[in-house]
Amino acid sequence: MAKCSPNGKVLPLVPLLAKFRATSPCDSHPTAETPLRAATLDDLSDDALHAELMQLIAPVLPVSFHTAAFTREGRFLRHAFAHLLRGQDPLPERLARCVTPGAAYHIAGLGPAFWSAVVRAANPTEMPLWCPALERGLQALGLIAELPYSCSCAERFAAAVEGVRQVRVAAPELSIAQIADFVQRVAFMEGREFPSHATPGHAGWGVEPAEIQRAVREVRSRHPLRQRLRETPPEQLAGIALFQSECVAGRHEAAFAAFRAAFPDSQWEAALPALDDAYSPGLELSQRALLWCEIAAVLCDTFRVHPLELADVAIAAAVAQQQHRPERDPFGGFCSDTFDFLAELKDNNTRDWMTTNRERYQFVLREPLVELCQAVADRYVQPVLNREHGWDMECDARAGRAITSICKNDYGRSGPYQFVQWVTFFRRSQSNRRDDAQFFVRVGSDGVRYGFHLGRSARAAGGQFRKAIQEHGEAVFRALLPGLRLGDCRFWTGEDLQTEVSLRSPAELRAWATHKTIAAGVHRKPDDPVLRGEDLPGEVLLTFDRLLPLFACAAESDPRPLLTRRAGTLDDPLPYDPHSFHRETYLSETWLDRVLGLLRMKKQLVLQGVPGTGKTHVARCLARLLTHDRPGCVRLVQFHPAYCYEEFVEGIRVRNVEANGRSEITYPVEDGVLCEFAAQAAARPSEPHVLIVDELNRGNLPRIFGELLFLLEYRDQAITLPYSKREFRLPENLFVVATMNPLDRSAVAMDQALRRRFSFVDMPADAAVLARWLEERPPETDDTLGPRVVRLFEELNDRLARDLGPEKQVGHSFFMVPALDREKLAAVWDHHVQPLLLDYLGGRNDRLKDFTPERLLGERPARRAKPATDS
């Protein structure tokens, strides 16, 4: 079965060739080089042959691990060349004898990349470079089957040659170099956009130097080398030392055994074939040992990898090499040719032209429309509009249902085809789409528009809509306000959706609603990158949800329940805004802008700091700001050592159920806090939801999060939950704000995999926050107490930083006590601050005398009154 393009369909050869011709003129490819002949190689000296072969493999293998094989097997190598270039058997069989481990002409260290380069050099006008990228491109075009792992080298090479021959039949004017370029571009297509140039260096044999360098940086960011050297057990260090000494002595098998003993996890060895094309599990032990020693030498000498890091770097580099294979998304996206096709159709609206471009139409327009319709229906229309609101919307991705037909039905009065295509979600209870309000996606040569639409034919829905807008215009405007503030939504009138109107008040909303044909939504131009991939369905459903109040006015006789949930009543105070946040936290606008930017970037944030810096308070205020203080949109959970995956995600519960007068025990799978809250957020995609995780690092994080670590980084992907076996994804409108004290000795350390999925913001002990708070709430009986408290706070933390280090501080919120006076200050010091100081000082009571308020402020201790005595 052929490897498929987005949504399981084979990529079309003819339209992609046309795109290739347009982006790659014939003179852009160099002329063929002089063929490599066996007779020429016979005449070369050993040194000249070595130089010739190095020049041959440089473009194919950016990192050469086994150049010593050219001299180590020099004489036998000449026999192998003679067989490959002069033999009488079919070329695939001759090549297999050189490439396959254990075959007659196989040489350890010379893999498929080397021999395929020799084959191409021997006949550059007829043979492409056989490589994984060539195979993947031919599979994506449906020209060769997806070959199983057990397939022999001869079969793979023969299939690739046959696939290239089929491309040559379809495009006889292209040279073999152009065909190879075309097929490799297809292999690295993302979505439906054909690359304008080839991806350099990623033929698929081995890895690029930059990938190894990135792997080294990644390994050292997770586990710094100095820390690794300190923490490595002595027996492992001894094993590495033995590995190095045996390599120098040339005892490769002993070196291999020593490295295996030091790193018994075989994951590093399993990664070697991706790192080095010459390494294969099918080689004899002595050959594998030799190759690993040569790989390790190059990594250590060229890339400065420490021997302790070799295993991790090999794994990371292999993963990086695999990541160059693009995954096909469920929604493959539109492409630039989508809009070129519609523009050309407008000028060439004939059956002959469409017959010629039928395959192109299917690929660039029809397939992405169907995929987009299905994605939005699955993620929003079915679960939200149909199940939650009960509107029974049409979402069948077929012509005449949710998607319009490209064929016109005007009995020959104009061209036979529509050059604007629509996806429309409307209520099935209406006779047709024109009789109802719609959520729509419109694709034309000017780009893609999506949102809410109400046409002149929808008389009943239009009358109800206009009545609701006149009666509840203020509430509707308030419900639409978040989207209007973001500037995402535009408002249009007219059949062609070209006349844009402003909407800045309820009065302008009412005026807009009086037009016969109206629409609201987003317009993305043809060059907008959002149209190219998996983000578009999410953007469409987010816009639909922001405009849901408009559809409710057309679909519900009384839209007030939805409007009240979205906007509250007109008597409610204005939503929680940045001014409210600054008033309650005393943090600056710069701080807030930076934090909101981090949340937009990763959607997960950790506020970290010492006790008393207001982390939880700030997290709750931040959540209120993000959610516009909507009820039910904030959930708080506190981690602790006993907290588990079953409570957070999902788990099996024991329930006692009464049935027919009998008590029975059942074991249902029930959602945890996160799944339940995520379901609510997914049902309201335009309303931000915030999950606050207090004391994040006090829980066993790998056990609590489980496979959710993947979803925190890839919100557009779904995973299968282990208990319910259902697909689960984290919605885009769900934010996670966590708090932690990094110095808490009872907490666990966060590993790098979890750290890189969060943004970290320090919450330091801040004298300015305390000073602003005391300025607004000055002590009533003592004007000097406020400045004295601020000075005490500063002196305390300065002394702690000098004696114990800058990480040992006391937070400002300890002193932010309403109606503060000297008596309350003494109570705060004795019962709140002093226990924390005692913990910082390791329990040594004798050292507390250095941290008394009097000592810190340089004051003389108050003298205690002597007790009265009898005369």
Side-chain angles (χ1 to χ4, degrees):
M1 181 178 179
K3 181 175 179 177
C4 294
S5 67
N7 208 24
K9 294 181 175 62
V10 172
L11 298 175
L13 176 62
V14 174
L16 292 179
L17 279 171
K19 199 70 178 176
F20 174 76
R21 293 185 185 98
T23 60
S24 181
C26 294
D27 58 359
S28 65
H29 289 265
T31 57
E33 63 264 26
T34 304
L36 179 70
R37 301 298 184 197
T40 305
L41 297 177
D42 291 341
D43 296 335
L44 296 176
S45 65
D46 289 345
D47 291 341
L49 177 63
H50 185 279
E52 182 78 18
L53 297 180
M54 289 295 295
Q55 187 177 358
L56 178 70
I57 66 169
V60 180
L61 277 177
V63 181
S64 300
F65 292 108
H66 311 294
T67 55
F70 297 150
T71 54
R72 184 176 63 239
E73 301 285 350
R75 181 170 297 182
F76 184 69
L77 184 58
R78 294 178 186 272
H79 292 295
F81 282 139
H83 174 72
L84 182 64
L85 302 180
R86 294 173 176 158
Q88 299 303 309
D89 294 331
L91 179 59
E93 295 180 14
R94 285 180 273 149
L95 178 65
R97 294 188 187 110
C98 298
V99 172
T100 308
Y105 291 95
H106 178 260
I107 297 173
L110 302 183
F114 172 77
W115 292 110
S116 62
V118 172
V119 168
R120 181 188 62 173
N123 194 352
T125 61
E126 296 296 328
M127 286 294 167
L129 177 69
W130 169 53
C131 60
L134 187 77
E135 288 185 1
R136 290 200 303 273
L138 293 171
Q139 289 163 7
L141 292 166
L143 299 178
I144 65 174
E146 188 164 4
L147 303 171
Y149 180 77
S150 59
C151 191
S152 70
C153 163
E155 293 172 311
R156 301 181 78 92
F157 178 75
V161 172
E162 171 59 22
V164 169
R165 186 194 65 78
Q166 294 182 53
V167 177
R168 204 162 199 181
V169 169
E173 78 284 2
L174 297 183
S175 68
I176 199 69
Q178 288 177 301
I179 290 175
D181 179 24
F182 164 72
V183 174
Q184 290 191 41
R185 288 201 216 179
V186 171
F188 291 100
M189 279 180 64
E190 295 183 3
R192 289 181 171 82
E193 194 67 56
F194 188 77
S196 60
H197 57 275
T199 303
H202 291 307
W205 299 125
V207 294
E208 294 285 311
E211 291 166 355
I212 297 179
Q213 291 163 356
R214 279 196 297 270
V216 174
R217 289 195 297 270
E218 179 186 338
V219 167
R220 288 180 179 166
S221 68
R222 290 200 312 261
H223 204 166
L225 181 56
R226 290 184 180 179
Q227 179 185 349
R228 187 189 291 266
L229 290 169
R230 287 196 306 268
E231 297 176 351
T232 301
E235 58 272 17
Q236 192 175 20
L237 289 173
I240 287 296
L242 179 60
F243 164 71
Q244 291 177 281
S245 63
E246 296 291 357
C247 282
V248 172
R251 292 188 287 268
H252 304 119
E253 290 189 52
F256 199 45
F259 196 89
R260 276 179 161 177
F263 294 94
D265 184 352
S266 61
Q267 191 176 1
W268 63 271
E269 192 174 354
L272 293 183
L275 181 70
D276 171 28
D277 77 300
Y279 190 95
S280 168
L283 293 169
E284 296 178 359
L285 176 60
S286 60
Q287 294 175 328
R288 281 182 283 138
L290 168 65
L291 298 190
W292 169 237
C293 290
E294 292 180 345
I295 293 170
V298 172
L299 291 178
C300 293
D301 296 343
T302 305
F303 298 97
R304 300 292 186 264
V305 178
H306 192 279
L308 279 173
E309 301 172 314
L310 283 171
D312 287 344
V313 168
I315 295 169
V319 170
Q321 196 267 357
Q322 293 293 326
Q323 287 174 346
H324 286 297
R325 302 182 180 185
E327 295 295 328
R328 305 300 185 187
D329 303 319
F331 173 64
F334 297 102
C335 59
S336 57
D337 199 35
T338 301
F339 310 103
D340 293 342
F341 170 84
L342 290 169
E344 292 172 32
L345 176 62
K346 191 173 183 180
D347 297 332
N348 302 275
N349 204 329
T350 65
R351 298 189 189 281
D352 290 342
W353 187 89
M354 178 59 85
T355 300
T356 304
N357 289 272
R358 177 70 60 179
E359 189 179 18
R360 178 187 176 196
Y361 155 70
Q362 289 288 338
F363 178 65
V364 304
L365 183 58
R366 187 67 182 182
E367 288 177 14
L369 273 177
V370 171
E371 292 167 14
L372 181 60
C373 178
Q374 291 173 337
V376 174
D378 291 344
R379 292 171 58 180
Y380 185 74
V381 179
Q382 292 280 18
V384 177
L385 302 184
N386 289 358
R387 286 199 288 272
E388 182 178 339
H389 294 284
W391 285 329
D392 189 27
M393 308 287 282
E394 176 63 74
C395 50
D396 189 357
R398 289 189 294 168
R401 299 294 182 88
I403 299 181
T404 58
S405 172
I406 197 169
C407 297
K408 280 187 177 181
N409 189 17
D410 63 355
Y411 306 102
R413 290 192 295 270
S414 63
Y417 300 107
Q418 310 271 7
F419 44 82
V420 173
Q421 291 289 281
W422 294 71
V423 177
T424 53
F425 301 104
F426 59 96
R427 291 173 294 173
R428 289 192 178 99
S429 59
Q430 307 302 304
S431 58
N432 62 64
R433 63 172 56 86
R434 293 183 178 85
D435 293 337
D436 195 21
Q438 309 162 352
F439 284 116
F440 77 95
V441 179
R442 175 190 182 274
V443 184
S445 59
D446 62 341
V448 177
R449 299 171 191 255
Y450 47 86
F452 166 80
H453 182 265
L454 182 64
R456 63 173 60 247
S457 301
R459 292 186 175 86
Q464 185 166 279
F465 173 81
R466 293 177 182 91
K467 181 174 180 291
I469 294 295
Q470 297 307 316
E471 292 180 1
H472 311 297
E474 286 78 8
V476 175
F477 183 80
R478 194 166 177 172
L480 296 173
L481 200 54
L484 295 175
R485 281 177 174 166
L486 293 171
D488 288 343
C489 293
R490 301 286 185 266
F491 294 81
W492 304 289
T493 62
E495 297 290 344
D496 57 359
L497 307 187
Q498 297 296 323
T499 305
E500 185 173 334
V501 300
S502 65
L503 202 155
R504 294 166 296 186
S505 67
E508 291 182 340
L509 173 66
R510 289 188 174 99
W512 168 74
T514 60
H515 290 84
K516 296 298 183 183
T517 299
I518 56 175
V522 173
H523 180 199
R524 294 194 178 275
K525 300 294 181 61
D527 59 351
D528 194 318
V530 172
L531 302 179
R532 302 296 189 267
E534 60 196 17
D535 291 338
L536 184 58
E539 293 292 327
V540 171
L541 67 88
L542 178 61
T543 300
F544 286 0
D545 200 68
R546 283 179 176 153
L547 299 173
L548 192 61
L550 295 177
F551 192 88
C553 287
E556 298 287 345
S557 58
D558 184 7
R560 284 176 296 179
L562 185 142
L563 297 177
T564 301
R565 182 170 67 80
R566 288 293 180 99
T569 64
L570 296 180
D571 297 330
D572 291 340
L574 289 173
Y576 194 86
D577 59 12
H579 296 292
S580 308
F581 179 84
H582 298 313
R583 187 172 59 250
E584 293 195 16
T585 64
Y586 299 92
L587 294 170
S588 67
E589 293 182 7
T590 302
W591 187 94
L592 180 60
D593 290 341
R594 184 175 73 251
V595 167
L596 292 178
L598 292 172
L599 277 171
R600 282 191 292 269
M601 186 186 306
K602 282 198 174 181
K603 301 187 186 297
Q604 291 92 228
L605 178 81
V606 173
L607 302 176
Q608 61 177 2
V610 298
T613 52
K615 300 182 293 294
T616 304
H617 172 68
V618 171
R620 296 176 70 180
C621 292
L622 191 59
R624 292 181 66 189
L625 178 65
L626 288 167
T627 62
H628 305 289
D629 215 11
R630 290 192 181 96
C633 291
V634 179
R635 189 77 57 88
L636 187 146
V637 60
Q638 190 175 64
F639 283 1
H640 51 78
Y643 202 75
C644 61
Y645 179 91
E646 287 73 15
E647 294 175 90
F648 190 57
V649 184
E650 68 167 12
I652 297 173
R653 306 284 193 270
V654 180
R655 295 285 182 259
N656 194 349
V657 179
E658 295 289 335
N660 299 324
R662 297 173 56 189
S663 179
E664 296 182 358
I665 302 296
T666 62
Y667 302 90
V669 175
E670 294 184 4
D671 285 348
V673 172
L674 180 66
C675 281
E676 182 182 295
F677 195 49
Q680 176 183 315
R684 309 177 192 173
S686 66
E687 301 179 21
H689 285 59
V690 179
L691 177 67
I692 301 175
V693 181
D694 201 26
E695 305 287 359
L696 173 71
N697 59 332
R698 288 183 61 81
N700 185 338
L701 300 182
R703 183 167 184 268
I704 293 172
F705 280 98
E707 65 278 359
L708 291 183
L709 283 180
F710 174 81
L711 293 185
L712 288 174
E713 189 168 2
Y714 300 101
R715 292 291 185 104
D716 57 294
Q717 302 293 319
I719 59 169
T720 301
L721 295 176
Y723 292 105
S724 61
K725 304 301 180 186
R726 63 187 171 94
E727 282 199 344
F728 175 73
R729 72 175 73 227
L730 284 178
E732 292 286 342
N733 60 324
L734 176 60
F735 298 87
V736 180
V737 178
T739 69
M740 62 178 270
N741 174 9
L743 299 179
D744 191 343
R745 290 193 297 274
S746 65
V748 297
M750 292 181 68
D751 64 19
Q752 291 296 332
L754 191 60
R755 279 186 176 276
R756 77 167 185 266
R757 288 163 169 85
F758 285 83
S759 298
F760 286 80
V761 176
D762 288 325
M763 297 286 293
D766 194 338
V769 171
L770 177 60
R772 286 195 292 270
W773 192 90
L774 288 170
E775 285 175 7
E776 290 190 7
R777 299 169 179 80
E780 296 180 359
T781 58
D782 188 349
D783 293 340
T784 65
L785 183 59
R788 184 174 184 271
V789 169
V790 174
R791 193 159 69 89
L792 173 62
F793 174 77
E794 291 177 323
E795 294 293 340
L796 171 62
N797 282 324
D798 286 347
R799 179 64 183 270
L800 286 171
R802 288 197 307 270
D803 292 3
L804 305 178
E807 70 278 0
K808 300 291 180 66
Q809 300 278 281
V810 174
H812 43 268
S813 68
F814 281 106
F815 302 93
M816 296 167 70
V817 179
L820 183 67
D821 56 25
R822 291 182 181 272
E823 183 177 344
K824 287 185 178 180
L825 177 61
V828 165
W829 188 269
D830 291 342
H831 301 288
H832 299 164
V833 176
Q834 198 164 272
L836 180 60
L837 293 176
L838 192 61
D839 180 63
Y840 284 168
L841 297 169
R844 294 182 57 183
N845 281 285
D846 58 304
R847 295 193 61 188
L848 283 176
K849 66 179 184 297
D850 297 327
F851 291 90
T852 63
E854 294 81 11
R855 178 70 65 87
L856 292 168
L857 294 175
E859 299 173 349
R860 183 173 296 177
R863 305 182 70 177
R864 295 179 180 271
K866 293 183 178 180
T869 58
D870 294 334
S871 57

